Amino acid sequence: MDRLAKREALREVGVSTSCGNCLRRTRRGRTKALNALRTVGTAIALLFSTVALADEGGVSFWLPGLFGSLASVPQPAPGWSLLTFSYYTNVSAGADVAAAREVTIGRFTPTLTANLSANLHAKVDLEWVQPNYTFATPVLGGQLTLGMGGFFGRSSADLAGTLTTTLGPIVSVRTESISSSVTGFGDLYPVAMLKWNAGVNNYMVYATGDVPVGAYDPNRLANLSIGHGAIDGGFGYTYLNPQTGYEFSITTGLTGNFKNTDTQYTNGVDWHSDWGASKFLSKQLFVGAVGYFYQQLTGDSGSGDRVGAFKSRVIGIGPQLGYLFPAGEHTQGYLNLKGYKEFDEAHRPGGYNVWLTLAFSPAAPETPPTPRRPMITK
């Protein structure tokens, strides 16, 4: 193809040929845009925490919404990163969860014929901190990240209603009103993620768990720990097109729970799926939607299980807004605000939750410009 024909072909795909370096600049610009999106993806993917919100008494290890947009995109450069976020939730539940909580804390035994007409209202406000390290050496051809998270916060719960019990001919009616709150540290949460990139397709496998060292009392209505160990693992996929700015991510996993030795209660196996979709309005700003689906697959068990299978379920959906900004010569900052409204909840409190995330990670190295060939004249 001669020079004139090449120029015509480039014009057909929208590439200017006014100077010899324009095509190289376009390629460098696309590389910078892709690296910027990967940095955002790293910050979002590191949303790894767990808060006691809902199998034993409506309380599970997994906190829906941990993953979202760009979750499977590898970090643009190896090294240390830091994730922090503020999380607030306000939820309520009906008589089934309220009764299960009362049984758990020993307020009555279901061996009696009992009817509890009550409601549970709970709030959690916490600050999460998690350092992570991403290795430069590939593992199985992918990028390995290890981290450890923990939080400090406050949890409060109120239960109010009427309890009617029957034992033979004796009927007893009493008004129940319980308030509980706790401020302190939660459990520890180790995490490992392995990610791969193949063009617009990105893949991830992850594993995490619960080390139950946080504030917990089996006789207290509100806690910051779930009171037992747990393991969780799964995989994710992200479609990311840096040329169009469109992105879609989905992450799914399973949770296995160890026995709570204080209550002799074992939660069933849980399945969860988080998703996010976004559109980049610029290299720094994006908007989109997020959602999750949570379902307990097997029933609770153990000698302390006196409420049956008690399988939990909830669905959530809401908006998100993200912003990427430079935070130093070699550091990239990321700010994200998202929220979820829950519905179709079963055997678990439902309401809404809000996340404000601030994360810092290594910035992508600058791509050196292609040296210009010297002009030779005669």
Side-chain angles (χ1 to χ4, degrees), residues 66-84:
L66 295 182
F67 284 116
S69 288
L70 301 163
S72 300
V73 179
Q75 185 169 293
W80 287 99
S81 59
L82 178 66
L83 166 72
T84 65

Side-chain angles (χ1 to χ4, degrees), residues 42-370:
T42 300
I44 298 176
L46 295 177
L47 287 178
F48 253 102
S49 70
T50 312
V51 183
L53 286 180
D55 295 359
E56 180 179 1
V59 181
S60 68
F61 162 79
W62 187 259
L63 177 64
L66 295 182
F67 284 116
S69 288
L70 301 163
S72 300
V73 179
Q75 185 169 293
W80 287 99
S81 59
L82 178 66
L83 166 72
T84 65
F85 67 83
S86 300
Y87 174 84
Y88 175 78
T89 186
N90 190 318
V91 294
S92 298
D96 59 339
V97 176
R101 289 287 184 92
E102 288 227 55
V103 171
T104 299
I105 64 177
R107 293 297 292 254
F108 74 88
T109 172
T111 56
L112 303 173
T113 302
N115 179 32
L116 179 65
S117 176
N119 290 294
L120 175 74
H121 184 215
K123 297 180 182 180
V124 177
D125 192 353
L126 65 87
E127 185 65 31
W128 178 265
V129 178
Q130 179 177 320
N132 304 275
Y133 186 79
T134 298
F135 294 86
T137 303
V139 176
L140 299 177
Q143 183 188 75
L144 176 64
T145 297
L146 300 179
M148 177 68 76
F151 68 87
F152 179 86
R154 176 179 173 82
S155 175
S156 63
D158 299 287
L159 189 153
T162 301
L163 174 67
T164 303
T165 58
T166 302
L167 182 59
I170 302 174
V171 178
S172 174
V173 179
R174 74 172 187 264
T175 300
E176 290 290 305
S177 181
I178 308 172
S179 294
S180 176
S181 65
V182 58
T183 300
F185 291 94
D187 294 343
L188 293 177
Y189 309 95
V191 57
M193 293 180 287
L194 193 57
K195 301 180 181 182
W196 298 265
N197 170 255
V200 298
N201 300 305
N202 301 270
Y203 307 92
M204 172 186 67
V205 294
Y206 78 89
T208 185
D210 183 285
V211 182
V213 296
Y216 177 75
D217 183 342
N219 299 313
R220 187 171 55 207
L221 193 62
N223 283 294
L224 291 171
S225 169
I226 60 175
H228 63 84
I231 56 174
D232 188 281
F235 60 90
Y237 168 77
T238 293
Y239 169 82
L240 173 61
N241 190 327
Q243 298 182 16
T244 63
Y246 285 106
E247 172 274 339
F248 175 77
S249 298
I250 185 167
T251 306
T252 187
L254 295 173
T255 302
N257 297 280
F258 297 101
K259 181 172 66 175
N260 185 331
T261 57
D262 288 310
T263 61
Q264 302 301 310
Y265 195 108
T266 303
N267 289 355
V269 174
D270 304 322
W271 170 66
H272 51 84
S273 183
D274 299 343
W275 62 268
S278 62
K279 165 63 176 176
F280 278 81
L281 306 180
S282 68
K283 293 180 181 180
Q284 294 179 285
L285 180 67
F286 73 86
V287 297
V290 289
Y292 52 72
F293 184 86
Y294 172 92
Q295 175 68 60
Q296 185 176 340
L297 300 180
T298 65
D300 298 341
S301 61
S303 60
D305 175 17
R306 291 168 290 174
V307 295
F310 212 69
K311 294 182 181 180
S312 301
R313 181 185 68 250
V314 72
I315 301 173
I317 192 170
Q320 66 167 329
L321 176 68
Y323 182 71
L324 180 69
F325 60 92
E329 185 178 357
H330 304 292
T331 304
Q332 195 76 49
Y334 172 68
L335 187 66
N336 178 271
L337 177 64
K338 65 178 181 178
Y340 298 85
K341 178 65 177 73
E342 295 181 325
F343 60 96
D344 196 33
E345 64 270 13
H347 299 309
R348 148 182 202 118
Y352 68 89
N353 54 82
V354 180
W355 310 59
L356 178 61
T357 301
L358 177 62
F360 299 95
S361 60
E366 287 289 335
T367 304
T370 304

